């Protein structure tokens, strides 16, 4: 069974912001002649990396709810210029919207078991995918979705 990560998406107002930021970063790397790959840098290195890259995803908490995920491709530890251990979480640049799942704020990242992860949007509840974002947000906040 795949293992996932859960992380706050600080500075994003919605999934569209995240998608625009990813597109901008990929374009910057392309123009700079760097490998066109998408990653998120984190200070802590997951000890269960092999489980994460075996079908796991990074689920993003945006404005208090899990709203989307990106497939984890690789965990690349490295030492930064100041001698501090860090890692790049190599991610598929495609953002998959999920059912919204309320989450309280936390620091860093958390492991998220597959059976606790929200379903991809539209799997199991077709009508939810067609709802306007604002309505879906309000219904989630009320505990109705």
């Amino acid at each position: 069974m795949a293992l996932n990560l859960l992380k706050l998406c600080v500075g994003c107002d919605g999934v569209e912001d995240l998608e625009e930021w990813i597109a901008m970063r990929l374009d910057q790397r392309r123009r700079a002649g760097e490998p066109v790959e998408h990653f998120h840098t984190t200070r802590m290195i997951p000890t269960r990396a092999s489980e994460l890259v075996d079908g796991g995803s990074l689920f993003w908490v945006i404005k208090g709810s899990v709203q989307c995920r990106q497939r984890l491709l690789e965990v690349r530890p490295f030492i930064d210029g100041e001698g501090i251990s860090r890692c790049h979480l190599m991610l598929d640049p495609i953002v998959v919207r999920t059912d919204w799942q309320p989450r309280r704020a936390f620091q860093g990242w958390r492991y998220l078991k597959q059976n606790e992860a929200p379903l991809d949007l539209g799997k199991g509840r077709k009508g939810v995918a067609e709802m306007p974002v604002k309505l879906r947000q309000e219904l989630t906040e009320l505990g109705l979705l």
Side-chain angles (χ1 to χ4, degrees):
M1 182 184 299
L3 184 64
N4 304 292
L5 287 179
L6 185 65
K7 180 118 178 65
L8 297 182
C9 193
V10 179
C12 279
D13 288 326
V15 178
E16 296 78 15
D17 283 350
L18 177 61
E19 291 171 326
E20 288 172 13
W21 185 83
I22 292 168
M24 179 191 69
R25 290 294 309 249
L26 290 174
D27 188 50
Q28 286 174 343
R29 293 184 66 80
R30 187 177 297 108
R31 284 186 280 127
E34 298 172 348
V36 182
E37 51 191 9
H38 176 58
F39 57 87
H40 177 75
T41 305
T42 183
R43 184 173 50 90
M44 300 301 292
I45 301 168
T47 58
R48 300 172 69 181
S50 61
E51 294 173 78
L52 293 170
V53 298
D54 189 23
S57 291
L58 175 60
F59 283 80
W60 290 108
V61 177
I62 301 172
K63 296 290 183 184
S65 291
V66 176
Q67 294 187 29
C68 60
R69 68 177 179 85
Q70 289 179 271
R71 193 166 50 90
L72 275 159
L73 305 174
E74 184 182 353
V75 176
R76 287 188 195 162
F78 70 97
I79 307 292
D80 71 10
E82 298 174 3
I84 300 170
S85 275
R86 301 193 184 278
C87 83
H88 290 313
L89 300 173
M90 306 306 294
L91 302 167
D92 185 330
I94 297 171
V95 177
V96 178
R97 285 166 170 74
T98 65
D99 284 342
W100 285 14
Q101 188 181 75
R103 290 289 175 147
R104 292 178 188 251
F106 57 92
Q107 291 184 345
W109 48 260
R110 302 285 184 267
Y111 288 115
L112 179 65
K113 295 177 185 172
Q114 193 64 36
N115 63 341
E116 297 171 351
L119 296 174
D120 290 352
L121 191 59
K123 287 193 175 179
R125 295 189 286 173
K126 260 188 176 180
V128 176
E130 285 86 37
M131 278 185 197
V133 172
K134 184 79 172 151
L135 176 60
R136 197 171 16 163
Q137 180 180 11
E138 289 175 11
L139 291 173
T140 300
E141 289 171 0
L142 292 170
L144 299 173
L145 283 182

